[in-house]
Amino acid sequence: MQFPRRQRVCVLGSTGSIGTNTLDVMSRHPERYEVFALTAHSRVDALFEQCVRWRPRFAVLPEAAQAASLQDRLRREDLPTEVLCGPQALADMAAHPQVDAVMAAIVGAAGLPPCLAAARAGKRLLLANKEALVVGGALFMRAVEQGGATLLPIDSEHSAIFQCLPEDRSAWRQRIDHIVLTASGGPFRQRDPASLRDVTPDQACAHPNWVMGRKISVDSATMMNKALEVIEARWLFDLSPEQIRVVIHPQSIIHSMVVCRDNSVLAQLGTPDMRVPIAYGLAWPERVESGASCLDFTALSALTFEPADDTRYPGLRLAWDTLTGPAGSTAVLNAANEVAVAAFLAGTIRFDQIHSVNARTLETLVIERGSTESLEGLLALDARAREAAAQAANTTLA
């Protein structure tokens, strides 16, 4: 596929690990890609440096004071970037008529509105924000279909599944028996579950294979990240919950597998480097150089697999519970988990209490009819779930 001009890319969450890796891949192909817009949440200095390097047309920050400060710094450097602020600006950038591709790398439910805007505007949407599907579910997938967007998964596991399937999506259902998402097991895979109450935030964020942000690292340690990926896979590949399985694969070399109806297994392998799925998403259906190192099969240790331990990872089961529960349950789980992880990172609850907060929120919150039928309803449900989770965290602390 030859593009008549360079693709204009909007990177939502450009200062995080996915955002910086996206810019690294783009830097290797200046003839193919140009940066149109960059957005960040709090790392204003990092966003300034990116604006100096990439000279985007727009930059977006959450608060007006942040935006004014950045705009002043850019003007002193005689740079052309216009700085905007607020959630509406995020959505406007994602749907901007001059944008060809959107990298959705914002962490959490805050990424849902701009992802919906990109989908409705028919963009090539590189989805690293799993919460768009965990929270948005059917509403988000309808927006993709109605807007004519091209949805490309960026999570390494979902990208692996996507790479193992034919381009013709109508053939997926006939081919797939089930899929297997792999998980490293995180930093506590071999630790006594009884000792996890004493885990510190720094220990939980020390992932053995991947370099990630603190929230996602904690989710990997609890396996809530994998629970959210199960939910995401249900929507991405139109699968029933029973068709999605998880296995521990400590080496993180096989990124996920498709088990076909004839029981043959297709797998995607590679080094644990997010630039591979990012490059695949940017260039699909082509492939371009990513910057990742190639696997050396002669130097690989054994590839091993283990079942996920329900005692060590009790939160993983919540994926299937919420997928078979009332509509909106997955959105409640996501909101509760964001609150619980923030409380753990702030030192107000223990590591082993994250699951308690999530489970208690799901048990106590009554989901109102129609909550999932609009963005406004989902955001209201998200807010109610966060309030309930905060109360659960306070009760847990007491």
Side-chain angles (χ1 to χ4, degrees), residues 269-349:
L269 285 70
T271 53
D273 190 322
M274 285 304 300
R275 290 176 296 179
V276 174
I278 289 168
Y280 186 73
L282 282 168
W284 182 87
E286 295 183 67
R287 290 183 184 265
V288 296
E289 192 268 327
S290 68
S293 59
C294 187
L295 277 180
D296 180 355
F297 287 94
T298 65
L300 281 181
S301 60
L303 302 181
T304 61
F305 305 90
E306 308 163 8
D309 182 348
D310 287 343
T311 303
R312 192 183 310 276
Y313 310 114
L316 181 59
R317 188 67 241 167
L318 295 177
W320 290 272
D321 292 344
T322 54
L323 281 172
T324 56
S329 297
T330 59
V332 172
L333 174 60
N334 178 75
N337 186 63
E338 288 189 23
V339 170
V341 171
F344 166 67
L345 289 173
T348 57
I349 65 171

Side-chain angles (χ1 to χ4, degrees), residues 12 28-29 39 53 98 134 154 177 211 256 261 279 290 292 301 312 327 341 355:
L12 304 173
R28 299 168 188 275
H29 306 281
T39 85
R53 164 69 176 83
Q98 294 186 42
V134 173
I154 298 301
D177 182 80
V211 177
S256 278
R261 290 186 180 273
S290 68
S301 60
R312 192 183 310 276
V341 171
H355 174 65

Side-chain angles (χ1 to χ4, degrees), residues 49-194:
E49 294 298 330
Q50 289 179 343
C51 289
V52 171
R53 164 69 176 83
W54 290 96
R55 302 173 70 88
R57 181 170 172 184
F58 295 100
V60 182
L61 285 162
E63 304 294 337
Q66 294 173 314
S69 174
L70 178 61
Q71 187 73 83
D72 184 60
R73 293 173 67 181
L74 293 173
R75 282 175 178 154
R76 290 200 300 267
E77 297 292 331
D78 197 27
L79 292 171
T81 302
E82 180 181 351
V83 185
L84 307 173
C85 69
Q88 185 58 52
L90 286 176
D92 290 344
M93 288 301 100
H96 197 286
Q98 294 186 42
V99 165
D100 301 299
V102 177
M103 168 55 77
I106 295 174
V107 176
L112 176 58
C115 285
L116 269 174
R120 288 167 174 162
K123 302 302 182 184
R124 173 185 284 245
L125 180 53
L126 283 60
L127 191 66
N129 174 267
K130 62 177 63 65
E131 291 83 4
L133 282 166
V134 173
V135 178
L139 179 72
F140 181 75
M141 292 306 295
R142 280 198 302 272
V144 169
E145 182 178 1
Q146 292 170 0
T150 301
L151 183 61
L152 299 164
I154 298 301
D155 274 349
S156 62
E157 296 82 1
H158 303 92
S159 176
I161 299 297
F162 186 77
Q163 291 181 56
C164 290
L165 293 173
E167 289 185 22
D168 180 5
R169 291 178 184 245
S170 65
W172 289 3
R173 187 176 293 275
Q174 288 72 38
R175 174 168 296 195
I176 299 173
D177 182 80
H178 65 276
I179 65 171
V180 181
L181 303 179
T182 57
S184 71
F188 309 130
R189 181 175 63 86
Q190 295 180 310
R191 184 161 166 169
D192 180 0

